Amino acid sequence: MTANKHFKRRVRERARRTGESYTAALRHLRRVDAEEHRVQWKRIERPDFAYAVHVPQGWHERPPNTKNSPWETARYGDHSDRRHGAIVFRQPVRPGRTSTEMAEIARSSLESLGFADIEIVPARLGERDGALLSGVKRDAGRALSIREYMAMDGDVGFCLGCWSTVPEEDLPLFEAMAGRFEILVNV
């Protein structure tokens, strides 16, 4: 029932965003979801940062760009397809801070970088309740969309940051990556 509710929400959001009818959006998302189920996943465990991320088989891990953030642990993507990728952040947080508060802090940074239409909604990162921050940066006729899935583990915040220039194609992939994300305990 819950998965169906989330799928219906995705269909309504796509129909609203694209102007398609509900039926056309439903047909598109069913096709995209069927393709997503054919993805071959590769699990990359990072015990030094207490997480494991699942990425498509053709994606590779790259070193973090600490100029972007000192809390960046790794980047993931396909060398032959630069339309999308992911970054994992792990940072200490004040005890009691929520993932929504973490998203609000990220919102300020992203707005200063030119991202707009930022929304923060409840979401899950792996097995944890958390927050999803989404937004877009437009430049010279191009658009870069981001989705940052955040969750807490005590005084540590985790963020799976996904980016895409073709967000309507990548949304199911990013949702699957967020659903498969693992925060490791007792490492």
Side-chain angles (χ1 to χ4, degrees), residues 122-184:
R124 293 184 66 79
L125 180 59
E127 297 295 317
R128 308 285 176 114
D129 287 330
L132 166 63
L133 178 149
S134 59
V136 65
K137 182 177 184 178
R138 292 178 180 83
D139 181 29
R142 297 175 302 212
L144 176 66
S145 295
I146 56 164
R147 295 181 68 81
E148 296 192 353
Y149 302 86
M150 302 177 189
M152 310 304 277
D153 183 41
D155 58 353
V156 176
F158 290 87
C159 174
L160 172 65
C162 303
W163 60 268
S164 175
T165 60
V166 286
E168 49 290 327
E169 292 178 25
D170 287 331
L171 179 61
L173 175 67
F174 296 158
E175 291 287 319
M177 288 173 65
R180 288 173 169 79
F181 192 88
E182 301 170 47
I183 295 175
L184 305 176

Side-chain angles (χ1 to χ4, degrees), residues 96-114:
R97 176 160 281 161
T98 68
S99 50
T100 301
E101 291 171 325
M102 192 169 134
E104 288 293 346
I105 293 167
R107 173 200 299 259
S108 299
S109 297
L110 291 167
E111 286 174 338
S112 72
L113 294 171

Side-chain angles (χ1 to χ4, degrees), residues 32-136:
V32 168
D33 280 2
E35 291 171 7
E36 187 274 325
H37 289 295
R38 290 192 296 261
V39 170
Q40 296 294 312
W41 294 98
K42 173 171 55 174
R43 181 178 185 271
I44 300 172
E45 187 171 315
R46 295 296 309 268
D48 49 334
F49 292 112
Y51 74 81
V53 64
H54 295 249
V55 298
Q57 193 65 36
W59 286 28
H60 303 281
E61 182 174 350
R62 296 190 305 267
N65 176 356
T66 53
K67 289 182 182 177
N68 178 48
S69 168
W71 310 116
E72 186 176 314
T73 64
R75 292 177 171 242
Y76 302 92
D78 182 345
H79 298 300
S80 64
D81 186 356
R82 301 219 181 253
R83 296 177 302 159
H84 49 222
I87 303 171
V88 178
F89 302 89
R90 181 185 185 275
Q91 67 186 64
V93 294
R94 186 184 75 232
R97 176 160 281 161
T98 68
S99 50
T100 301
E101 291 171 325
M102 192 169 134
E104 288 293 346
I105 293 167
R107 173 200 299 259
S108 299
S109 297
L110 291 167
E111 286 174 338
S112 72
L113 294 171
F115 283 90
D117 303 327
I118 295 177
E119 293 183 69
I120 298 172
V121 297
R124 293 184 66 79
L125 180 59
E127 297 295 317
R128 308 285 176 114
D129 287 330
L132 166 63
L133 178 149
S134 59
V136 65

